[in-house]
């Protein structure tokens, strides 16, 4: 038994040594995300770090990019980069540059309160000019701040209304004491259409009272501000920045991504085809996207009607969306589902026509061939 025990230990040690040796033979490289710049700030009289991440196609394009500025970059820069990569992969927003404005945790509260004027001057006179002269940037600048940095964001909008055209503020604090200044500011800047997205959790005591006051003020104040309040559920103070930044960026770039609807009822409640066509018109004007929705997006609308078993809605949408042309663009299984719905609702002529269109592109498709057979069977 003892000998077997010793042998087993020797075997384990030998395997471990082989594993370590194998690991040692693997190539190892550092993961580099973005670029770190050190600004010798005359305003703050100290060196400050700025982190910059560029879009995937930056080096091969000649485009100018929107910039997302993240306060507390030491905490949120990597998350901002992760969001960019996800949005880029699924084409949910335009590409944008991510800039993290780092801060020292021990000086954080002072930076956003007693030192707020100097910090804003630092951003205006040193950070933004450095980014603009070093990189190809557009005039679209979005500022994100959490907690005291969110309160700083409100002050920034009031004091420098043209420095940023959008603000995403997670659990901004303090907020209620800024409403009088905000009232005066909006009264003097009624035409300003700045984007403001702010949030708090429904149980976030100490913060929720201020965001509720801000929401109620904006509800009752006439202005061109494009604002939205997001009441979160189940978050805590330290987790609110993550969902807020995700949804805030997407709303800032509204009309960029293709539309989606959960049901035919949802589609109709949002304005139906009138809303659908107007959305793609605005999308084209803002971002240069094709004014024609993608073939999948048009198919998705027709599928809603199929799932609702609403033939009248389906037939109307088919005609309005140039369904016959769409049938030529779809893969066979999706195209057949459109023809099938005409067939099961008694319109054999239309079904037969669609099956023939499908077979021109997919001459051996069994579903289309079977559809042709069924649509030509005469009933007594």
């Amino acid at each position: 038994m003892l000998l077997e025990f010793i042998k087993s230990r020797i075997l384990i040690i030998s395997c471990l040594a082989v594993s370590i040796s194998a690991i040692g033979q693997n190539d190892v490289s550092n993961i580099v995300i973005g670029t770190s710049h050190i600004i010798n700030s005359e305003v703050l009289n100290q060196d400050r770090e700025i982190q910059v991440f560029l879009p995937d196609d930056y080096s091969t394009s000649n485009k100018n990019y929107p910039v997302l500025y993240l306060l507390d970059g030491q905490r949120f820069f990597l998350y901002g980069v992760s969001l960019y990569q996800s949005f880029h992969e699924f084409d949910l927003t335009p590409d944008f540059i991510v800039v993290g404005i780092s801060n020292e945790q021990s000086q954080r509260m002072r930076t956003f309160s007693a030192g707020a004027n100097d910090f804003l001057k630092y951003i205006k006179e040193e950070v933004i000019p450095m980014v603009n002269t070093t990189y190809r940037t557009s005039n679209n600048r979005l500022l994100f701040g959490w907690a005291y940095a969110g309160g700083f964001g409100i002050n920034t909008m009031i004091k420098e209304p043209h420095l940023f055209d959008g603000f995403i503020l997670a659990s901004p604090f303090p907020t209620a004491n800024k409403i009088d200044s905000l009232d005066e500011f909006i009264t003097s800047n009624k035409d300003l259409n700045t984007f403001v997205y702010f949030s708090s959790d429904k149980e976030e005591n100490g913060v929720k009272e201020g965001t509720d006051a801000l929401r109620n003020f904006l509800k009752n104040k006439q202005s061109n501000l494009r604002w939205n309040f997001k009441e979160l559920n189940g978050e805590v103070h330290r987790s609110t920045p993550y969902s807020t930044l995700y949804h805030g960026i997407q709303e800032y770039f509204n009309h960029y991504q293709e539309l989606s609807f959960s049901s035919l009822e949802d589609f109709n409640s949002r304005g139906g085809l009138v809303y659908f066509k107007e959305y793609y018109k605005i999308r084209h004007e803002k971002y240069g996207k094709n004014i024609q929705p993608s073939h999948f997006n048009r198919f998705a609308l027709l599928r809603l009607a199929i799932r609702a078993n609403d033939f009248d809605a389906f037939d109307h949408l088919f005609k309005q969306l140039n369904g016959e042309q769409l049938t030529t663009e779809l893969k066979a299984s999706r195209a057949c589902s459109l023809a099938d719905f005409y067939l099961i609702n008694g319109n054999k002529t239309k079904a037969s026509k669609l099956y023939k269109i499908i077979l021109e592109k997919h001459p051996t498709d069994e579903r289309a061939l079977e559809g042709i057979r069924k649509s030509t069977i005469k009933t007594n």
Side-chain angles (χ1 to χ4, degrees), residues 162-277:
H162 301 290
L163 193 59
F164 296 93
D165 66 332
F167 296 85
I168 300 175
L169 312 173
S171 303
F173 183 85
T175 302
N177 64 352
K178 295 176 171 56
I179 289 179
D180 286 345
S181 297
L182 192 58
D183 187 8
E184 182 178 342
F185 164 75
I186 291 176
T187 300
S188 302
N189 296 272
K190 289 183 177 179
D191 295 332
L192 195 68
N193 62 348
T194 301
F195 170 81
V196 182
Y197 185 96
F198 61 106
S199 72
S200 64
D201 189 81
K202 62 190 301 185
E203 303 295 337
E204 199 174 359
N205 296 327
V207 174
K208 187 64 163 61
E209 293 82 358
T211 54
D212 280 346
L214 178 58
R215 175 181 58 179
N216 291 333
F217 164 74
L218 292 173
K219 274 185 178 179
N220 296 304
K221 182 73 175 180
Q222 283 191 333
S223 75
N224 280 340
L225 289 182
R226 183 164 68 92
W227 69 274
N228 188 26
F229 169 69
K230 178 73 171 179
E231 183 178 71
L232 305 173
N233 186 16
E235 302 291 345
V236 294
H237 185 58
R238 63 182 174 273
S239 69
T240 61
Y242 302 101
S243 62
T244 302
L245 186 56
Y246 176 89
H247 293 290
I249 292 173
Q250 284 193 295
E251 187 154 333
Y252 174 72
F253 292 114
N254 69 339
H255 289 93
Y256 183 85
Q257 61 182 290
E258 290 215 79
L259 280 172
S260 62
F261 304 92
S262 59
S263 64
L264 185 62
E265 181 181 6
D266 178 35
F267 169 71
N268 290 329
S269 69
R270 288 160 68 179
L273 275 174
V274 173
Y275 167 74
F276 187 78
K277 292 179 179 179

Side-chain angles (χ1 to χ4, degrees), residues 58-102:
Y58 184 88
S59 62
T60 58
S61 80
N62 59 2
K63 295 186 296 187
N64 293 331
Y65 296 85
V67 184
L68 168 64
Y69 287 88
L70 302 169
L71 298 175
D72 290 314
Q74 75 285 354
R75 177 180 284 138
F76 298 118
F77 176 71
L78 291 179
Y79 180 63
V81 171
S82 176
L83 286 182
Y84 159 78
Q85 291 172 329
S86 179
F87 293 152
H88 174 78
E89 179 180 356
F90 295 104
D91 197 28
L92 299 180
T93 68
D95 286 339
F96 55 88
I97 295 171
V98 180
V99 174
I101 304 176
S102 298

Side-chain angles (χ1 to χ4, degrees), residues 35-40 46-52 73-74 99-103 122 127 130:
T35 305
S36 175
H37 296 260
I38 302 299
I39 294 179
N40 183 257
Q46 61 181 189
D47 290 343
R48 299 299 292 252
E49 182 187 28
I50 302 299
Q51 299 163 290
V52 180
Q74 75 285 354
V99 174
I101 304 176
S102 298
N103 211 339
Y122 160 66
V127 176
M130 185 278 287

